[in-house]
Amino acid sequence: MILIEDSITNDLYQNCAKELDEKLYEHCWKSSSLNWLSDVKKGVDGSCIITPVSDTIKHLLEQELKSSLPKYRELEFNYYIWQHHAGISWHNDIALDRAFGATLYLNDQWHPDNGGWFIWEDDNGYHTILPKKKFLIISDNYQHHCVTPVAMGFRCTIQIWGLL
């Protein structure tokens, strides 16, 4: 895993948060309950709602993040709102069309009691990250990882796929 604090500027963070708030009232959302494979939903009762970021935000994110990201042909960006009981069971991000997956955290604050911890395993054991504003996690080695169920609040992220 590659971990980057303050991965985007405050201005871009504010633009992402504003766009996410605006999209809440649009009919543009998909649900993880309907679109994710069953193996990543084991033991998870809640649902994430998912929608693409705008082309404007996508362009700004790519400009600010490209020097930190592994090689890719194209980037895909989606807002995720992790609702009550939403999580994802142990998996890796291996796919024939992907070079990496990444998570950018958008919550201004997040309390440990809220759940939604990101956990991964590598040769040194297990590691955890609590959602933190503008923090970026890049999964470039296809390590096994999960997100614990959200206990309260809405865990907001941008999921990034680096496509081959």
Side-chain angles (χ1 to χ4, degrees):
M1 295 291 171
I2 300 170
L3 310 174
I4 303 171
E5 291 204 46
D6 291 320
S7 63
I8 59 174
T9 62
N10 284 327
D11 284 345
L12 181 51
Y13 169 80
Q14 292 299 330
N15 287 334
C16 292
K18 181 180 180 213
E19 180 175 78
L20 179 59
D21 285 343
E22 291 168 354
K23 284 184 173 271
L24 291 175
Y25 302 98
E26 296 178 15
H27 298 283
C28 60
W29 296 90
K30 299 185 301 186
S31 170
S32 63
S33 295
L34 301 173
N35 295 302
W36 286 1
L37 299 174
S38 60
D39 61 329
V40 297
K41 297 187 291 184
K42 292 178 189 168
V44 175
D45 295 328
S47 177
C48 292
I49 55 174
I50 304 158
T51 194
V53 304
S54 68
D55 288 341
T56 301
I57 295 293
K58 177 181 177 176
H59 176 73
L60 293 170
L61 285 166
E62 187 167 6
Q63 280 185 318
E64 286 196 19
L65 295 174
K66 67 182 170 189
S67 66
S68 301
L69 299 174
K71 285 188 173 186
Y72 59 88
R73 179 183 51 79
E74 181 182 349
L75 292 174
E76 181 180 297
F77 297 90
N78 289 292
Y79 291 111
Y80 277 45
I81 298 177
W82 302 71
Q83 301 174 98
H84 191 68
H85 294 293
I88 189 166
S89 56
W90 283 97
H91 69 287
N92 60 38
D93 291 331
I94 292 176
L96 295 176
D97 63 338
R98 284 188 219 143
F100 66 89
T103 301
L104 175 63
Y105 293 105
L106 297 179
N107 290 85
D108 198 34
Q109 296 180 1
W110 193 256
H111 192 276
D113 288 342
N114 290 359
W117 289 80
F118 182 87
I119 305 172
W120 78 95
E121 180 182 20
D122 63 19
D123 294 339
N124 297 316
Y126 292 96
H127 311 275
T128 61
I129 294 288
L130 183 67
K132 182 178 176 183
K133 176 181 167 181
K134 301 190 310 180
F135 197 89
L136 181 68
I137 299 174
I138 304 169
S139 175
D140 63 337
N141 291 325
Y142 306 111
Q143 290 145 322
H144 279 86
H145 58 280
C146 71
V147 173
T148 64
V150 172
M152 60 185 94
F154 296 100
R155 180 182 185 267
C156 300
T157 64
I158 294 177
Q159 299 303 127
I160 305 165
W161 296 113
L163 306 177
L164 297 171

